[in-house]
Amino acid sequence: MNPMDGIRFAFGTLTALPVRVTRWDREAARSGMLWAPLAGLVLGLCAAAVGGLLLLLDSGPLPAAVATAAVPAALTRGLHLDGLADVADGLGSAKPAEDALRIMKQSDIGPFGVLTLVFVLLGQVAVLAELYAQSWVRGAVAMVVAAVTARLALTLSCRPGVPPARPDGLGAAVAGAVPLRAAVGVSVLVVAGAALLGPGAALHHAVAVAGGLLASQLLLAHCVRRFGGVTGDVFGAIAETATTMALIVSVLGAA
């Protein structure tokens, strides 16, 4: 298929950028989720640019960190954060799968969702502020690596053997669509690319990617056990989990 159809699928479903999805079928879903890390790269670069602009205007590292964390949320219309909150409410309810899925589909956010959002966003801002206090480059690279890792986690989560929890929605459209060999191939390319960022930091960036993927795949496995499969909300939670863990690994030993 035309690669642009896959790229449009990735940007049209994973961001709020004005990109029109031209095909909505299994082949487009497979191609789109393979291109998902590219969408993450664009989001990460935009976030890093905003943080750099504020630092250039002498805002200080904390306001720059808040703005950097806010950009991906704005450019996805909070889609992934909303998914994270819904999954937290579903898991926190400790109810059977059908009831938990119903809770996740409700428009309101419960206490588990609120607490999870607060701590995740606080963690992201704290890490970025610490890195920006050292240099813009450290914070910018960490944000780009984290954003790409988040979308790579979605690519891996669309491998065969991961079923949809519902018969409709984004989860059903992309679940099991990406061949395992292709997902691993994209992962190797992303890890190799991360390893090339920054002199003397190759291992650090590669480990950040690995840490984000590990945390997200553990969450995926738990959600599949609890809900019987994946939903769009689960994908959102996976992305935010990978982002946060990749950032945390980035700041460890970075002083």
Side-chain angles (χ1 to χ4, degrees), residues 189-248:
L189 288 176
V190 170
V191 172
L196 296 176
L197 295 174
L203 180 60
H204 202 164
H205 297 318
V207 172
V209 175
L213 293 180
L214 176 60
S216 67
Q217 296 309 296
L218 289 174
L219 175 62
L220 172 66
H222 184 55
C223 287
V224 169
R225 286 195 301 270
R226 283 283 286 109
F227 307 139
V230 292
T231 66
D233 286 334
V234 171
F235 282 126
I238 286 170
E240 290 299 330
T241 298
T243 297
T244 306
M245 183 55 69
L247 285 172
I248 290 173

Side-chain angles (χ1 to χ4, degrees), residues 33-62:
M33 297 316 291
L34 285 171
W35 283 107
L38 178 62
L41 176 62
V42 171
L43 294 178
L45 289 173
C46 290
V50 171
L53 178 61
L54 287 180
L55 289 174
L56 188 63
L57 297 173
D58 294 325
S59 72
L62 184 55

Side-chain angles (χ1 to χ4, degrees), residues 110-120:
F112 292 107
V114 171
L115 287 173
T116 300
L117 285 179
V118 168
F119 284 117
V120 164

